Every structure is written in C-alpha cells, then in structure tokens.
Amino acid sequence: MATSKSTSTYNRQNWEDAEFPILCQTCLGDNPYIRMTKDKYGKECKICSRPFTVFRWCPGARMRFKKTEVCQTCSRLKNVCQTCLLDLEYGLPIQVRDAALRVKDDLPRSEVNKEYYIQNMDREGGKLDVTSPTGAVGKSQAASDLLMKLARTSPYYKRNRPHICSFWVKGECKRGEECPYRHEKPTDPDDPLADQNIKDRYYGTNDPVADKLMRRADSMPKLEPPEDRSITTLYIGNLGEKLGEKELRDHFYQYGEIRAITVVSRQQCAFVQFTQRQSAEQAAERTFNKLILGGRRLTIKWGRSQGRQGVEGGDLGDDDEMLEPVPGLPGTLPPPPTDMRNNFFNLATPSAAASSEASLMQPMMIPPPPMAPMGRPPPGLVPGGPPPLMQAQAPPGAAPGPPAPPSLRGTTPFYFPQIMRPPPGVRPPHPPPMFPPGTAPMFPRSVGGAAGLVPPGTNAIHYPSQDPSRMGTAQLGSKD
C-alpha cells in the first residue's frame, strides 16, 4: 500500500503535517476561545486517501464535536472547508459554485492518476499562500449573479447541532435531559436531503442540497421597473450602522451619473437617485438580491412617485397591509337627524316634538312679536322701553282673572341692566314678575296620554322633573 509507513521515504514526504485547519466560520463556531486536539497523521483523507493531521473541537455549548474530514491539499483545490466541504467565500455547495462560475475541473478518480495529480497540485500550491485556492477555482475571477443571489452572508450555527438520538426514536433512551443528542422526530427517509455523500459533495455530482438551491434560484422574484418613466430613484434597505453615503456612492457610480443620495439613518435605508432612467434600470437589474456590502445583503426596490402617493392612499410599504377592525370596539357615531343639523344645541323643532310620543311635556314655542319700524313706537309703549309682555289667554267659558297691574300697561318703563342703561339720575325699578298674581300661562300637557291645557289657577309645570307626582311627593290637598 502506497500510504503505509513501511513504504518509501518519498511517499511519506507527501503526508500532511499542518498547524491549523482551513475552516469556515460556521464550523469554527461563535466562541472565540476554543480548544482543539491535534492528531498528527490521525486519519487518511476521504478524497485522496493520504494521511493528514486531524483536528477535533467543540464549536459551542450544546453542540456536537466536529473534526476535519479532508486534507488541506484537497481543500485548497476546491476552496472548501475541511469539515463541511462548502465554499469558503459564498457558503454554497461546489456544484452550485462551479455551475455559476462555469468552472470545469475533472479530477481523476483512479488511485494512481489521483495520487500523481495530487502530488503535482501540492507542489504547485506550495509556492502560493496557504490560504489562497489553487487549480481552476483559483484562476477564476469572474463574478456571477447566481452566486450573489444565493450566497450566505451570516454563519448558520444550527448546522452544528447534535445528531438525533436513535434510542429516543425507539423509545428506549434512559438519559433524559442529560442525553447529549437531540430528542426530536427524524426527517422523512424519502426526503432527498436525508441521503448525502461526502464524495458527491466534493466532486459536485448528484448533490441534493445543490439541486434544492438551484430550484430556489429559478423561483426567485424579479424586480420589474415601474411604468412611470420619470422614476429614477432606487430604495436601498438593510444598511445597518456602518454603511453610509460614501460606500453607496462608491458602488453605484459604475452604473451611471448619480443626482443625489439620501441616507435615513433612523430607518437604516437610503434613496439613490440617478439622472437617467437607463442607469437606474441597469443598477436595479444588477443589484436586486445580489448586492452585499459590509457583510449585509441589501434590499433593492424601486422608489415611488411623489405625485401618486396621495392618490394611492399614503406612503405604505410593499409589506404593509390594511388590518381588519378589532371586534367589540364601537363603530363611528351616526350622523345627526336632518332637522337638527342647523341647531347648535341639537334641540328638537316644534314639529318633531309634537310628533314624538316619548316627550311628556314641551313648552309652546311662541314666536317673537314683529319688530316695529324705526319710526314711531307702537301704541302704549314709552320710547326706549322693552316690548310689552304677552298676556296669557283663558280658555272659553273660564272666569276672567283680575286686571293686569298698572306696571304692565306701559305707563312705567323698566330696564334690563344687561341690555340698556337708565337715564342719569333715574334708578331702575326691579322688573315685575313675569306672570301677575292670579294668572298663569297655558302650557300643553300630556294627561293620561292625551294632550291638553292646564286650567287657570293650577301650578304650571315647565319641565317633567318639576312634576310633584313624578318626584314621589303627595298631591296638594291630600291628607296622606
């Protein structure tokens, strides 16, 4: 066997002795202080079958121990992680990366040709930096839109979780919470993702994860330009705190002349306005779901026309939607009746009060007397005095009441201090009572459900709250 220690010294010189592994951020873990065990020539590489130095470590709490699977020479040939075999720059499978970059690197599969090819690549890679890729991947410098769409910008630490406990699936696990494995339901065995092979992942053939990502790329939405040709502004979201106007200008100037860049730091977004519509369309096409600045994938959308925001109902985003009303809350108040709209206190008109059966008592609305012309005063009225009070009329057949006092005949004027001032040296008398003794006005009253007039000599009730019978008092003349 060519890889045994009893072979020639030449073959043993090709064995790998490294000081630190080539890992991605996800496999290395989020803990900056980790302990690794180093096993020199611990296992043979699963691709080239050469012994190499194996590193083993725990990426974090409640995670499983991980170790390197391939040697560093095979890792540099494909620019992949030694543990997960995913691309170090984009975090994607090799099949997706090679299809996007149009890289065709057919490694030999036979033992002799593979060993000869690996030795030549190892000799060529020794002249370069240890962290730089070799082979066809290292020579490819062209960017791809597909890679920018599918590239992972943040570590996916969920991949480091422990495996599912097989005893728990059978119902025989006795460790309980102390079990280092996951107590979860396993995936469907018919799922293509349940059958993955490390060699298929490395050579980029029949990889189920790559097929899933390719289907996702085909179904991604596209950014359609608006019909309004006057819109030349792009909305840039998810900027973060580090990205500013300088970084945006350095990237977007390659698409055309920029008129203005407005950065809204509070909402972590910006608006890039171009001078020409063609430049804005080119920038939107090349950056939609592809632009990654400062380790953050930026959101690219078209701006909105300022003239159509009010017509469309406000400045709502694409993700905003009209929510349904909360049940149980009171609705809007109904509009007031048509006969009360021109009334300041919303009082009912005489016609509405007469037709309402719920109103018990409503005073009769007496229209004001006609205003006299500015010439002569009415007969019996002293100039400068108020108009005479209207006398209540008794119903037919009733006994006539006592005559009105002389103060009501217009001989002695009285004044209202709030309205007019008396002549100098004249002391205004107190205003006479509205209704002289022995007289009472007639008000409509509902007695027994029928409207009638209060006979003279009884107490007039102006409001329903003044009715003694409704307040629980005894009627006049009763002995109880």
PDB file of all heavy atoms in Angstrom, residues 242-276:
ATOM      1  N   LYS A 242     -22.972  50.821   9.808  1.00  0.00           N
ATOM      2  CA  LYS A 242     -21.650  51.096   9.251  1.00  0.00           C
ATOM      3  C   LYS A 242     -21.713  51.686   7.854  1.00  0.00           C
ATOM      4  O   LYS A 242     -20.857  52.468   7.475  1.00  0.00           O
ATOM      5  CB  LYS A 242     -20.819  49.809   9.249  1.00  0.00           C
ATOM      6  CG  LYS A 242     -20.566  49.237  10.633  1.00  0.00           C
ATOM      7  CD  LYS A 242     -19.697  47.998  10.562  1.00  0.00           C
ATOM      8  CE  LYS A 242     -19.442  47.423  11.953  1.00  0.00           C
ATOM      9  NZ  LYS A 242     -18.598  46.201  11.890  1.00  0.00           N
ATOM     10  N   LEU A 243     -22.689  51.299   7.063  1.00  0.00           N
ATOM     11  CA  LEU A 243     -22.772  51.763   5.684  1.00  0.00           C
ATOM     12  C   LEU A 243     -23.339  53.173   5.640  1.00  0.00           C
ATOM     13  O   LEU A 243     -24.287  53.496   6.361  1.00  0.00           O
ATOM     14  CB  LEU A 243     -23.638  50.820   4.850  1.00  0.00           C
ATOM     15  CG  LEU A 243     -23.120  49.384   4.704  1.00  0.00           C
ATOM     16  CD1 LEU A 243     -24.068  48.560   3.869  1.00  0.00           C
ATOM     17  CD2 LEU A 243     -21.730  49.378   4.097  1.00  0.00           C
ATOM     18  N   GLY A 244     -22.759  54.013   4.787  1.00  0.00           N
ATOM     19  CA  GLY A 244     -23.207  55.388   4.654  1.00  0.00           C
ATOM     20  C   GLY A 244     -23.213  55.817   3.195  1.00  0.00           C
ATOM     21  O   GLY A 244     -23.201  55.004   2.257  1.00  0.00           O
ATOM     22  N   GLU A 245     -23.226  57.123   3.019  1.00  0.00           N
ATOM     23  CA  GLU A 245     -23.311  57.680   1.669  1.00  0.00           C
ATOM     24  C   GLU A 245     -22.050  57.366   0.861  1.00  0.00           C
ATOM     25  O   GLU A 245     -22.140  57.115  -0.351  1.00  0.00           O
ATOM     26  CB  GLU A 245     -23.525  59.197   1.759  1.00  0.00           C
ATOM     27  CG  GLU A 245     -23.649  59.884   0.409  1.00  0.00           C
ATOM     28  CD  GLU A 245     -23.869  61.372   0.551  1.00  0.00           C
ATOM     29  OE1 GLU A 245     -24.055  61.847   1.700  1.00  0.00           O
ATOM     30  OE2 GLU A 245     -23.859  62.066  -0.498  1.00  0.00           O
ATOM     31  N   LYS A 246     -20.896  57.367   1.485  1.00  0.00           N
ATOM     32  CA  LYS A 246     -19.653  57.129   0.758  1.00  0.00           C
ATOM     33  C   LYS A 246     -19.620  55.725   0.169  1.00  0.00           C
ATOM     34  O   LYS A 246     -19.259  55.528  -0.998  1.00  0.00           O
ATOM     35  CB  LYS A 246     -18.453  57.340   1.690  1.00  0.00           C
ATOM     36  CG  LYS A 246     -17.101  57.128   1.012  1.00  0.00           C
ATOM     37  CD  LYS A 246     -15.970  57.350   1.999  1.00  0.00           C
ATOM     38  CE  LYS A 246     -14.614  57.149   1.316  1.00  0.00           C
ATOM     39  NZ  LYS A 246     -14.481  55.783   0.751  1.00  0.00           N
ATOM     40  N   GLU A 247     -20.003  54.712   0.955  1.00  0.00           N
ATOM     41  CA  GLU A 247     -19.986  53.338   0.461  1.00  0.00           C
ATOM     42  C   GLU A 247     -20.997  53.134  -0.667  1.00  0.00           C
ATOM     43  O   GLU A 247     -20.708  52.417  -1.643  1.00  0.00           O
ATOM     44  CB  GLU A 247     -20.288  52.370   1.599  1.00  0.00           C
ATOM     45  CG  GLU A 247     -19.183  52.256   2.638  1.00  0.00           C
ATOM     46  CD  GLU A 247     -19.141  53.415   3.610  1.00  0.00           C
ATOM     47  OE1 GLU A 247     -20.083  54.248   3.567  1.00  0.00           O
ATOM     48  OE2 GLU A 247     -18.204  53.504   4.397  1.00  0.00           O
ATOM     49  N   LEU A 248     -22.166  53.765  -0.559  1.00  0.00           N
ATOM     50  CA  LEU A 248     -23.161  53.633  -1.627  1.00  0.00           C
ATOM     51  C   LEU A 248     -22.709  54.326  -2.911  1.00  0.00           C
ATOM     52  O   LEU A 248     -22.908  53.809  -4.016  1.00  0.00           O
ATOM     53  CB  LEU A 248     -24.500  54.201  -1.160  1.00  0.00           C
ATOM     54  CG  LEU A 248     -25.183  53.471   0.000  1.00  0.00           C
ATOM     55  CD1 LEU A 248     -26.461  54.189   0.387  1.00  0.00           C
ATOM     56  CD2 LEU A 248     -25.482  52.025  -0.369  1.00  0.00           C
ATOM     57  N   ARG A 249     -22.092  55.479  -2.759  1.00  0.00           N
ATOM     58  CA  ARG A 249     -21.635  56.194  -3.950  1.00  0.00           C
ATOM     59  C   ARG A 249     -20.485  55.439  -4.641  1.00  0.00           C
ATOM     60  O   ARG A 249     -20.399  55.423  -5.879  1.00  0.00           O
ATOM     61  CB  ARG A 249     -21.195  57.604  -3.575  1.00  0.00           C
ATOM     62  CG  ARG A 249     -20.878  58.512  -4.762  1.00  0.00           C
ATOM     63  CD  ARG A 249     -20.517  59.900  -4.294  1.00  0.00           C
ATOM     64  NE  ARG A 249     -21.638  60.534  -3.608  1.00  0.00           N
ATOM     65  CZ  ARG A 249     -22.610  61.192  -4.243  1.00  0.00           C
ATOM     66  NH1 ARG A 249     -22.581  61.306  -5.569  1.00  0.00           N
ATOM     67  NH2 ARG A 249     -23.585  61.751  -3.552  1.00  0.00           N
ATOM     68  N   ASP A 250     -19.610  54.825  -3.851  1.00  0.00           N
ATOM     69  CA  ASP A 250     -18.504  54.083  -4.446  1.00  0.00           C
ATOM     70  C   ASP A 250     -18.982  52.876  -5.242  1.00  0.00           C
ATOM     71  O   ASP A 250     -18.296  52.426  -6.178  1.00  0.00           O
ATOM     72  CB  ASP A 250     -17.538  53.618  -3.354  1.00  0.00           C
ATOM     73  CG  ASP A 250     -16.824  54.792  -2.693  1.00  0.00           C
ATOM     74  OD1 ASP A 250     -16.827  55.889  -3.289  1.00  0.00           O
ATOM     75  OD2 ASP A 250     -16.290  54.610  -1.579  1.00  0.00           O
ATOM     76  N   HIS A 251     -20.150  52.340  -4.875  1.00  0.00           N
ATOM     77  CA  HIS A 251     -20.641  51.161  -5.605  1.00  0.00           C
ATOM     78  C   HIS A 251     -21.544  51.541  -6.777  1.00  0.00           C
ATOM     79  O   HIS A 251     -21.451  50.935  -7.850  1.00  0.00           O
ATOM     80  CB  HIS A 251     -21.402  50.240  -4.644  1.00  0.00           C
ATOM     81  CG  HIS A 251     -21.971  49.028  -5.326  1.00  0.00           C
ATOM     82  ND1 HIS A 251     -21.222  47.914  -5.629  1.00  0.00           N
ATOM     83  CD2 HIS A 251     -23.227  48.770  -5.786  1.00  0.00           C
ATOM     84  CE1 HIS A 251     -21.977  47.016  -6.241  1.00  0.00           C
ATOM     85  NE2 HIS A 251     -23.202  47.506  -6.342  1.00  0.00           N
ATOM     86  N   PHE A 252     -22.428  52.511  -6.616  1.00  0.00           N
ATOM     87  CA  PHE A 252     -23.429  52.803  -7.637  1.00  0.00           C
ATOM     88  C   PHE A 252     -22.942  53.763  -8.717  1.00  0.00           C
ATOM     89  O   PHE A 252     -23.659  53.976  -9.695  1.00  0.00           O
ATOM     90  CB  PHE A 252     -24.692  53.388  -6.974  1.00  0.00           C
ATOM     91  CG  PHE A 252     -25.548  52.359  -6.295  1.00  0.00           C
ATOM     92  CD1 PHE A 252     -25.445  52.148  -4.928  1.00  0.00           C
ATOM     93  CD2 PHE A 252     -26.451  51.603  -7.007  1.00  0.00           C
ATOM     94  CE1 PHE A 252     -26.226  51.207  -4.298  1.00  0.00           C
ATOM     95  CE2 PHE A 252     -27.237  50.654  -6.393  1.00  0.00           C
ATOM     96  CZ  PHE A 252     -27.126  50.457  -5.032  1.00  0.00           C
ATOM     97  N   TYR A 253     -21.754  54.337  -8.559  1.00  0.00           N
ATOM     98  CA  TYR A 253     -21.302  55.274  -9.581  1.00  0.00           C
ATOM     99  C   TYR A 253     -20.987  54.552 -10.888  1.00  0.00           C
ATOM    100  O   TYR A 253     -20.952  55.172 -11.964  1.00  0.00           O
ATOM    101  CB  TYR A 253     -20.058  56.025  -9.078  1.00  0.00           C
ATOM    102  CG  TYR A 253     -18.762  55.266  -9.256  1.00  0.00           C
ATOM    103  CD1 TYR A 253     -17.950  55.489 -10.374  1.00  0.00           C
ATOM    104  CD2 TYR A 253     -18.353  54.327  -8.322  1.00  0.00           C
ATOM    105  CE1 TYR A 253     -16.768  54.786 -10.547  1.00  0.00           C
ATOM    106  CE2 TYR A 253     -17.175  53.628  -8.488  1.00  0.00           C
ATOM    107  CZ  TYR A 253     -16.388  53.861  -9.592  1.00  0.00           C
ATOM    108  OH  TYR A 253     -15.223  53.170  -9.766  1.00  0.00           O
ATOM    109  N   GLN A 254     -20.744  53.231 -10.844  1.00  0.00           N
ATOM    110  CA  GLN A 254     -20.385  52.485 -12.045  1.00  0.00           C
ATOM    111  C   GLN A 254     -21.565  52.291 -12.987  1.00  0.00           C
ATOM    112  O   GLN A 254     -21.365  51.965 -14.165  1.00  0.00           O
ATOM    113  CB  GLN A 254     -19.833  51.116 -11.651  1.00  0.00           C
ATOM    114  CG  GLN A 254     -20.778  50.295 -10.788  1.00  0.00           C
ATOM    115  CD  GLN A 254     -20.187  48.979 -10.347  1.00  0.00           C
ATOM    116  OE1 GLN A 254     -19.343  48.411 -11.053  1.00  0.00           O
ATOM    117  NE2 GLN A 254     -20.607  48.481  -9.191  1.00  0.00           N
ATOM    118  N   TYR A 255     -22.793  52.504 -12.498  1.00  0.00           N
ATOM    119  CA  TYR A 255     -23.968  52.320 -13.350  1.00  0.00           C
ATOM    120  C   TYR A 255     -24.388  53.589 -14.069  1.00  0.00           C
ATOM    121  O   TYR A 255     -25.170  53.515 -15.011  1.00  0.00           O
ATOM    122  CB  TYR A 255     -25.137  51.785 -12.513  1.00  0.00           C
ATOM    123  CG  TYR A 255     -24.810  50.516 -11.777  1.00  0.00           C
ATOM    124  CD1 TYR A 255     -24.719  50.500 -10.385  1.00  0.00           C
ATOM    125  CD2 TYR A 255     -24.573  49.339 -12.459  1.00  0.00           C
ATOM    126  CE1 TYR A 255     -24.410  49.332  -9.701  1.00  0.00           C
ATOM    127  CE2 TYR A 255     -24.267  48.164 -11.790  1.00  0.00           C
ATOM    128  CZ  TYR A 255     -24.185  48.176 -10.412  1.00  0.00           C
ATOM    129  OH  TYR A 255     -23.878  47.018  -9.741  1.00  0.00           O
ATOM    130  N   GLY A 256     -23.957  54.736 -13.644  1.00  0.00           N
ATOM    131  CA  GLY A 256     -24.316  55.980 -14.298  1.00  0.00           C
ATOM    132  C   GLY A 256     -24.169  57.155 -13.355  1.00  0.00           C
ATOM    133  O   GLY A 256     -23.762  57.021 -12.182  1.00  0.00           O
ATOM    134  N   GLU A 257     -24.510  58.324 -13.875  1.00  0.00           N
ATOM    135  CA  GLU A 257     -24.390  59.553 -13.081  1.00  0.00           C
ATOM    136  C   GLU A 257     -25.451  59.578 -11.990  1.00  0.00           C
ATOM    137  O   GLU A 257     -26.631  59.320 -12.243  1.00  0.00           O
ATOM    138  CB  GLU A 257     -24.525  60.776 -13.992  1.00  0.00           C
ATOM    139  CG  GLU A 257     -24.326  62.102 -13.267  1.00  0.00           C
ATOM    140  CD  GLU A 257     -24.467  63.291 -14.195  1.00  0.00           C
ATOM    141  OE1 GLU A 257     -24.665  63.064 -15.410  1.00  0.00           O
ATOM    142  OE2 GLU A 257     -24.388  64.422 -13.700  1.00  0.00           O
ATOM    143  N   ILE A 258     -25.032  59.922 -10.783  1.00  0.00           N
ATOM    144  CA  ILE A 258     -25.925  59.971  -9.618  1.00  0.00           C
ATOM    145  C   ILE A 258     -26.269  61.429  -9.336  1.00  0.00           C
ATOM    146  O   ILE A 258     -25.386  62.287  -9.242  1.00  0.00           O
ATOM    147  CB  ILE A 258     -25.266  59.322  -8.393  1.00  0.00           C
ATOM    148  CG1 ILE A 258     -24.950  57.858  -8.680  1.00  0.00           C
ATOM    149  CG2 ILE A 258     -26.149  59.436  -7.169  1.00  0.00           C
ATOM    150  CD1 ILE A 258     -24.204  57.163  -7.555  1.00  0.00           C
ATOM    151  N   ARG A 259     -27.567  61.685  -9.197  1.00  0.00           N
ATOM    152  CA  ARG A 259     -28.011  63.045  -8.888  1.00  0.00           C
ATOM    153  C   ARG A 259     -27.943  63.329  -7.393  1.00  0.00           C
ATOM    154  O   ARG A 259     -27.461  64.384  -6.965  1.00  0.00           O
ATOM    155  CB  ARG A 259     -29.432  63.254  -9.395  1.00  0.00           C
ATOM    156  CG  ARG A 259     -30.019  64.625  -9.081  1.00  0.00           C
ATOM    157  CD  ARG A 259     -31.381  64.791  -9.724  1.00  0.00           C
ATOM    158  NE  ARG A 259     -31.280  64.694 -11.184  1.00  0.00           N
ATOM    159  CZ  ARG A 259     -32.324  64.711 -12.001  1.00  0.00           C
ATOM    160  NH1 ARG A 259     -33.550  64.778 -11.507  1.00  0.00           N
ATOM    161  NH2 ARG A 259     -32.152  64.617 -13.305  1.00  0.00           N
ATOM    162  N   ALA A 260     -28.437  62.429  -6.574  1.00  0.00           N
ATOM    163  CA  ALA A 260     -28.436  62.652  -5.121  1.00  0.00           C
ATOM    164  C   ALA A 260     -28.549  61.313  -4.409  1.00  0.00           C
ATOM    165  O   ALA A 260     -29.122  60.348  -4.930  1.00  0.00           O
ATOM    166  CB  ALA A 260     -29.594  63.568  -4.711  1.00  0.00           C
ATOM    167  N   ILE A 261     -27.987  61.260  -3.203  1.00  0.00           N
ATOM    168  CA  ILE A 261     -28.082  60.094  -2.317  1.00  0.00           C
ATOM    169  C   ILE A 261     -28.556  60.598  -0.960  1.00  0.00           C
ATOM    170  O   ILE A 261     -27.894  61.414  -0.327  1.00  0.00           O
ATOM    171  CB  ILE A 261     -26.741  59.360  -2.189  1.00  0.00           C
ATOM    172  CG1 ILE A 261     -26.299  58.785  -3.534  1.00  0.00           C
ATOM    173  CG2 ILE A 261     -26.850  58.241  -1.154  1.00  0.00           C
ATOM    174  CD1 ILE A 261     -24.981  58.046  -3.470  1.00  0.00           C
ATOM    175  N   THR A 262     -29.701  60.104  -0.532  1.00  0.00           N
ATOM    176  CA  THR A 262     -30.284  60.496   0.761  1.00  0.00           C
ATOM    177  C   THR A 262     -30.267  59.287   1.684  1.00  0.00           C
ATOM    178  O   THR A 262     -30.861  58.253   1.372  1.00  0.00           O
ATOM    179  CB  THR A 262     -31.721  61.000   0.583  1.00  0.00           C
ATOM    180  OG1 THR A 262     -31.729  62.071  -0.370  1.00  0.00           O
ATOM    181  CG2 THR A 262     -32.274  61.493   1.905  1.00  0.00           C
ATOM    182  N   VAL A 263     -29.585  59.407   2.826  1.00  0.00           N
ATOM    183  CA  VAL A 263     -29.463  58.326   3.802  1.00  0.00           C
ATOM    184  C   VAL A 263     -30.332  58.657   4.998  1.00  0.00           C
ATOM    185  O   VAL A 263     -30.205  59.732   5.598  1.00  0.00           O
ATOM    186  CB  VAL A 263     -27.994  58.127   4.237  1.00  0.00           C
ATOM    187  CG1 VAL A 263     -27.890  57.016   5.273  1.00  0.00           C
ATOM    188  CG2 VAL A 263     -27.119  57.817   3.031  1.00  0.00           C
ATOM    189  N   VAL A 264     -31.233  57.744   5.352  1.00  0.00           N
ATOM    190  CA  VAL A 264     -32.093  57.870   6.534  1.00  0.00           C
ATOM    191  C   VAL A 264     -31.535  56.919   7.589  1.00  0.00           C
ATOM    192  O   VAL A 264     -31.804  55.713   7.572  1.00  0.00           O
ATOM    193  CB  VAL A 264     -33.557  57.544   6.199  1.00  0.00           C
ATOM    194  CG1 VAL A 264     -34.453  57.799   7.406  1.00  0.00           C
ATOM    195  CG2 VAL A 264     -34.038  58.376   5.005  1.00  0.00           C
ATOM    196  N   SER A 265     -30.740  57.473   8.503  1.00  0.00           N
ATOM    197  CA  SER A 265     -30.045  56.630   9.484  1.00  0.00           C
ATOM    198  C   SER A 265     -30.997  55.998  10.478  1.00  0.00           C
ATOM    199  O   SER A 265     -30.748  54.890  10.964  1.00  0.00           O
ATOM    200  CB  SER A 265     -28.999  57.474  10.236  1.00  0.00           C
ATOM    201  OG  SER A 265     -28.084  58.063   9.333  1.00  0.00           O
ATOM    202  N   ARG A 266     -32.097  56.687  10.770  1.00  0.00           N
ATOM    203  CA  ARG A 266     -33.022  56.163  11.776  1.00  0.00           C
ATOM    204  C   ARG A 266     -33.689  54.879  11.297  1.00  0.00           C
ATOM    205  O   ARG A 266     -33.910  53.950  12.077  1.00  0.00           O
ATOM    206  CB  ARG A 266     -34.068  57.225  12.101  1.00  0.00           C
ATOM    207  CG  ARG A 266     -35.030  56.827  13.198  1.00  0.00           C
ATOM    208  CD  ARG A 266     -35.955  57.968  13.548  1.00  0.00           C
ATOM    209  NE  ARG A 266     -36.852  57.621  14.641  1.00  0.00           N
ATOM    210  CZ  ARG A 266     -37.782  58.446  15.134  1.00  0.00           C
ATOM    211  NH1 ARG A 266     -37.905  59.669  14.627  1.00  0.00           N
ATOM    212  NH2 ARG A 266     -38.552  58.051  16.123  1.00  0.00           N
ATOM    213  N   GLN A 267     -34.008  54.795  10.009  1.00  0.00           N
ATOM    214  CA  GLN A 267     -34.658  53.613   9.454  1.00  0.00           C
ATOM    215  C   GLN A 267     -33.690  52.718   8.704  1.00  0.00           C
ATOM    216  O   GLN A 267     -34.120  51.728   8.097  1.00  0.00           O
ATOM    217  CB  GLN A 267     -35.796  54.046   8.525  1.00  0.00           C
ATOM    218  CG  GLN A 267     -36.876  54.844   9.226  1.00  0.00           C
ATOM    219  CD  GLN A 267     -38.000  55.225   8.288  1.00  0.00           C
ATOM    220  OE1 GLN A 267     -37.959  54.913   7.102  1.00  0.00           O
ATOM    221  NE2 GLN A 267     -39.013  55.891   8.801  1.00  0.00           N
ATOM    222  N   GLN A 268     -32.399  53.047   8.715  1.00  0.00           N
ATOM    223  CA  GLN A 268     -31.361  52.234   8.088  1.00  0.00           C
ATOM    224  C   GLN A 268     -31.663  51.964   6.621  1.00  0.00           C
ATOM    225  O   GLN A 268     -31.635  50.816   6.148  1.00  0.00           O
ATOM    226  CB  GLN A 268     -31.165  50.911   8.842  1.00  0.00           C
ATOM    227  CG  GLN A 268     -30.686  51.082  10.274  1.00  0.00           C
ATOM    228  CD  GLN A 268     -30.382  49.763  10.948  1.00  0.00           C
ATOM    229  OE1 GLN A 268     -30.552  48.709  10.369  1.00  0.00           O
ATOM    230  NE2 GLN A 268     -29.946  49.818  12.196  1.00  0.00           N
ATOM    231  N   CYS A 269     -31.973  53.017   5.903  1.00  0.00           N
ATOM    232  CA  CYS A 269     -32.249  52.906   4.476  1.00  0.00           C
ATOM    233  C   CYS A 269     -31.709  54.148   3.782  1.00  0.00           C
ATOM    234  O   CYS A 269     -31.284  55.112   4.436  1.00  0.00           O
ATOM    235  CB  CYS A 269     -33.749  52.737   4.208  1.00  0.00           C
ATOM    236  SG  CYS A 269     -34.746  54.172   4.667  1.00  0.00           S
ATOM    237  N   ALA A 270     -31.727  54.111   2.446  1.00  0.00           N
ATOM    238  CA  ALA A 270     -31.225  55.226   1.649  1.00  0.00           C
ATOM    239  C   ALA A 270     -31.968  55.248   0.322  1.00  0.00           C
ATOM    240  O   ALA A 270     -32.598  54.259  -0.094  1.00  0.00           O
ATOM    241  CB  ALA A 270     -29.719  55.110   1.427  1.00  0.00           C
ATOM    242  N   PHE A 271     -31.893  56.391  -0.360  1.00  0.00           N
ATOM    243  CA  PHE A 271     -32.511  56.585  -1.667  1.00  0.00           C
ATOM    244  C   PHE A 271     -31.430  57.109  -2.610  1.00  0.00           C
ATOM    245  O   PHE A 271     -30.831  58.154  -2.355  1.00  0.00           O
ATOM    246  CB  PHE A 271     -33.678  57.571  -1.591  1.00  0.00           C
ATOM    247  CG  PHE A 271     -34.810  57.096  -0.726  1.00  0.00           C
ATOM    248  CD1 PHE A 271     -34.843  57.389   0.634  1.00  0.00           C
ATOM    249  CD2 PHE A 271     -35.844  56.341  -1.259  1.00  0.00           C
ATOM    250  CE1 PHE A 271     -35.875  56.958   1.432  1.00  0.00           C
ATOM    251  CE2 PHE A 271     -36.881  55.899  -0.467  1.00  0.00           C
ATOM    252  CZ  PHE A 271     -36.902  56.210   0.882  1.00  0.00           C
ATOM    253  N   VAL A 272     -31.198  56.359  -3.685  1.00  0.00           N
ATOM    254  CA  VAL A 272     -30.198  56.726  -4.687  1.00  0.00           C
ATOM    255  C   VAL A 272     -30.945  57.168  -5.942  1.00  0.00           C
ATOM    256  O   VAL A 272     -31.674  56.374  -6.540  1.00  0.00           O
ATOM    257  CB  VAL A 272     -29.252  55.553  -4.996  1.00  0.00           C
ATOM    258  CG1 VAL A 272     -28.229  55.961  -6.043  1.00  0.00           C
ATOM    259  CG2 VAL A 272     -28.571  55.066  -3.727  1.00  0.00           C
ATOM    260  N   GLN A 273     -30.759  58.417  -6.332  1.00  0.00           N
ATOM    261  CA  GLN A 273     -31.447  58.985  -7.487  1.00  0.00           C
ATOM    262  C   GLN A 273     -30.442  59.191  -8.619  1.00  0.00           C
ATOM    263  O   GLN A 273     -29.423  59.858  -8.450  1.00  0.00           O
ATOM    264  CB  GLN A 273     -32.113  60.311  -7.126  1.00  0.00           C
ATOM    265  CG  GLN A 273     -32.931  60.910  -8.263  1.00  0.00           C
ATOM    266  CD  GLN A 273     -33.596  62.214  -7.866  1.00  0.00           C
ATOM    267  OE1 GLN A 273     -33.314  62.745  -6.789  1.00  0.00           O
ATOM    268  NE2 GLN A 273     -34.453  62.729  -8.708  1.00  0.00           N
ATOM    269  N   PHE A 274     -30.748  58.600  -9.775  1.00  0.00           N
ATOM    270  CA  PHE A 274     -29.911  58.736 -10.960  1.00  0.00           C
ATOM    271  C   PHE A 274     -30.465  59.841 -11.851  1.00  0.00           C
ATOM    272  O   PHE A 274     -31.644  60.217 -11.760  1.00  0.00           O
ATOM    273  CB  PHE A 274     -29.861  57.412 -11.732  1.00  0.00           C
ATOM    274  CG  PHE A 274     -29.148  56.304 -11.004  1.00  0.00           C
ATOM    275  CD1 PHE A 274     -29.831  55.478 -10.118  1.00  0.00           C
ATOM    276  CD2 PHE A 274     -27.797  56.095 -11.180  1.00  0.00           C
ATOM    277  CE1 PHE A 274     -29.181  54.461  -9.448  1.00  0.00           C
ATOM    278  CE2 PHE A 274     -27.134  55.079 -10.514  1.00  0.00           C
ATOM    279  CZ  PHE A 274     -27.825  54.261  -9.646  1.00  0.00           C
ATOM    280  N   THR A 275     -29.617  60.316 -12.734  1.00  0.00           N
ATOM    281  CA  THR A 275     -30.045  61.365 -13.667  1.00  0.00           C
ATOM    282  C   THR A 275     -30.795  60.782 -14.862  1.00  0.00           C
ATOM    283  O   THR A 275     -31.622  61.469 -15.466  1.00  0.00           O
ATOM    284  CB  THR A 275     -28.829  62.153 -14.155  1.00  0.00           C
ATOM    285  OG1 THR A 275     -27.896  61.238 -14.750  1.00  0.00           O
ATOM    286  CG2 THR A 275     -28.162  62.887 -12.999  1.00  0.00           C
ATOM    287  N   GLN A 276     -30.529  59.528 -15.216  1.00  0.00           N
ATOM    288  CA  GLN A 276     -31.174  58.900 -16.366  1.00  0.00           C
ATOM    289  C   GLN A 276     -31.889  57.632 -15.931  1.00  0.00           C
ATOM    290  O   GLN A 276     -31.444  56.923 -15.022  1.00  0.00           O
ATOM    291  CB  GLN A 276     -30.139  58.573 -17.451  1.00  0.00           C
ATOM    292  CG  GLN A 276     -29.438  59.796 -18.021  1.00  0.00           C
ATOM    293  CD  GLN A 276     -28.441  59.418 -19.088  1.00  0.00           C
ATOM    294  OE1 GLN A 276     -28.288  58.241 -19.431  1.00  0.00           O
ATOM    295  NE2 GLN A 276     -27.749  60.417 -19.632  1.00  0.00           N
TER     296      GLN A 276
END
